[in-house]
Amino acid sequence: MAPKRPKGAGALEQPALSPVPQSGSRELYAALDLGTNSCRMLIAQPKGTGFHVVDSFSKSVQLGAGLERTGRLSRGSMARTIQALRICQQKLRQHKVRRMKLVATEACRRAVNAQEFIQRVQRETGLRLDIIQPEEEARLAVISCAPLVSRKTQNLLVVDIGGGSTELVWIDISKVPKNDRPQAIMRLHSGFNTAAVKDVAQARVVDWISVPLGVATLRDQFNDVEDDAARFALMSWFFEENLADFAPYHDTKVHEKFQIVGTSGTVTTVAASHLGLKRYDRTRVDGLSMSSAQIDKVIRSYLDMGPGGRRADPRIGQDRQALIMSGAAILQALMRCWPTDRLSVADRGLREGLLYAQMSADGVLSDGAL
């Protein structure tokens, strides 16, 4: 499985499902992300430079279960997913949402029966899913994290650890005025190779990569290794090997004012464990800065717990306990490779990026959002 770096970076495409709302509109927008492991949706209303979440949905459906072995989506995984999508469809109808972007990612990109599944979804739920390419997935993750970019940052790495793939985007914003850096990141919504705008400093994408290893697919690669610690070490090493073609990886210069922003269930779970939260609190997790030492301490505690202990830990949860160590292996490999000892935690990702992109295209966000 070679990492993917497709050519081209066209604007996000979204069919107009209703007349374009005016600025300040109370129109609702929806974004659905169907990944290898989870089905998640947000329904939101534009508010100022961002949006207010009206309703949400999240369910572990394990759409990619068995995909690594068979190359196909199984009957059971498709049935679980369609059941979750029916709930999403009910929410969309309840809120009378007309403007939406519903996407599927790595599992559907790889499965030989993906189109059959997409057609079945439309037939049974009325929902039209678009299978997006890795670059669009990476772009959406980047713009969702823009509000977390420090004004001191000159080099930025955004990491989105998914179920079936991991997207990494290296961005140079050293030429952008400090106060404009988050907005410069947001302007990447129209593509990584955007045309220069006269007298406007641009965020420059140095390189990006989509590694076809996420928490589910990496775990499946090493299912036959029985020893917990050995399996973790092998997963971390294997992921690092897959970064070999990522250009900035070879740059040995010390990068000053470098920031990593990580978005995924793995990153937020590690952060919640670090904080000792008995109940997950997004307001404490989103934007948290963690050191490499703090991340390593949490990962060591997971290894000390063993599979049984992790299964019983409420901070990890039943849905995530089977995947947390493969995600932790990816996270540790990234922190080992890059010239910084801190990670910014983002409880945001593809869904938020989809919302920002739609609202920006419709011009319903206040000036300064992009």
Side-chain angles (χ1 to χ4, degrees):
M1 294 183 299
K4 306 168 188 173
R5 190 186 284 108
K7 296 180 180 179
L12 301 180
E13 296 180 359
Q14 166 62 28
L17 302 179
S18 67
V20 175
Q22 300 300 310
S23 181
S25 169
R26 298 182 65 82
E27 181 92 21
L28 293 180
Y29 290 74
L32 186 146
D33 168 18
L34 177 58
T36 302
N37 190 57
S38 301
C39 174
R40 300 182 295 174
M41 183 178 73
L42 287 178
I43 297 174
Q45 186 177 65
K47 183 179 180 181
T49 60
F51 51 81
H52 166 69
V53 175
V54 174
D55 202 351
S56 64
F57 175 80
S58 181
K59 179 72 175 177
S60 174
V61 294
Q62 299 177 44
L63 178 61
L67 177 62
E68 196 74 17
R69 177 172 45 84
T70 67
R72 300 179 61 85
L73 303 175
S74 70
R75 290 183 180 180
S77 64
M78 289 191 289
R80 285 192 302 272
T81 302
I82 288 174
Q83 186 177 10
L85 290 170
R86 286 197 181 101
I87 298 173
C88 294
Q89 191 269 348
Q90 291 167 6
K91 286 178 175 287
L92 292 169
R93 179 177 295 176
Q94 174 190 344
H95 291 287
K96 300 179 181 178
V97 180
R98 295 182 297 169
R99 303 194 68 73
M100 63 190 78
K101 182 74 172 177
L102 318 175
V103 306
T105 56
E106 185 70 8
C108 288
R109 287 195 291 261
R110 293 177 57 191
V112 295
N113 59 338
Q115 287 302 326
E116 174 189 329
F117 169 67
I118 295 296
Q119 292 168 5
R120 181 180 167 189
V121 167
Q122 184 165 0
R123 186 170 62 249
E124 296 188 21
T125 71
L127 300 179
R128 291 183 297 159
L129 294 174
D130 293 327
I131 302 175
I132 62 172
Q133 293 307 305
E135 182 177 342
E136 184 171 351
E137 185 174 359
R139 272 200 325 264
L140 293 165
V142 165
I143 65 173
S144 74
C145 294
L148 300 181
V149 176
S150 167
R151 282 165 173 78
K152 297 179 180 179
T153 296
Q154 293 185 358
N155 289 276
L156 174 71
L157 179 71
V158 176
V159 180
D160 181 10
I161 306 173
S165 65
T166 298
E167 280 66 46
L168 301 94
V169 185
W170 180 290
I171 306 167
D172 180 357
I173 50 176
S174 59
K175 300 288 196 295
V176 180
K178 290 182 179 180
N179 290 338
D180 294 341
R181 286 173 182 173
Q183 288 77 19
I185 299 295
M186 292 286 281
R187 284 193 287 270
L188 293 171
H189 79 98
S190 58
F192 284 164
N193 298 313
T194 53
V197 179
K198 187 177 180 180
D199 298 326
V200 176
Q202 301 283 322
R204 183 175 67 91
V205 175
V206 179
D207 200 5
W208 75 277
I209 195 169
S210 178
V211 181
L213 292 169
V215 294
T217 47
L218 182 59
R219 177 201 60 185
D220 290 347
Q221 290 274 340
F222 295 93
N223 261 344
D224 58 337
V225 181
E226 294 185 5
D227 183 80
D228 197 39
R231 183 169 57 249
F232 173 80
L234 286 168
M235 289 190 296
S236 188
W237 164 81
F238 186 66
F239 185 84
E240 185 175 344
E241 286 289 300
N242 276 265
L243 294 178
D245 291 334
F246 193 31
Y249 182 81
H250 300 290
D251 190 349
T252 57
K253 292 189 300 182
V254 175
H255 290 275
E256 296 181 357
K257 300 179 180 178
F258 183 92
Q259 182 182 5
I260 296 182
V261 178
T263 169
S264 71
T266 294
V267 174
T268 56
T269 299
V270 168
S273 295
H274 165 65
L275 293 172
L277 300 182
K278 293 182 179 179
R279 177 175 294 184
Y280 187 79
D281 183 350
R282 183 184 186 274
T283 61
R284 294 187 61 188
V285 169
D286 189 47
L288 177 72
S289 178
M290 293 184 67
S291 68
S292 296
Q294 290 168 333
I295 293 169
D296 287 342
K297 183 178 179 181
V298 172
I299 293 174
R300 283 197 303 272
S301 75
Y302 290 166
L303 287 168
D304 290 342
M305 289 179 193
R310 295 193 294 270
R311 195 175 298 114
D313 191 322
R315 297 169 301 179
I316 298 174
Q318 287 294 320
D319 286 347
R320 190 158 298 281
Q321 59 84 21
L323 303 170
I324 189 61
M325 293 316 298
S326 50
I330 292 172
L331 182 57
Q332 190 175 76
L334 291 168
M335 297 304 293
R336 195 164 55 234
C337 293
W338 304 103
T340 181
D341 65 350
R342 300 201 73 81
L343 171 80
S344 298
V345 178
D347 186 349
R348 53 186 75 205
L350 187 55
R351 295 174 301 170
E352 288 83 358
L354 287 165
L355 290 172
Y356 277 125
Q358 290 181 84
M359 293 176 186
S360 171
D362 285 351
V364 297
L365 298 178
S366 299
D367 290 344
L370 293 176

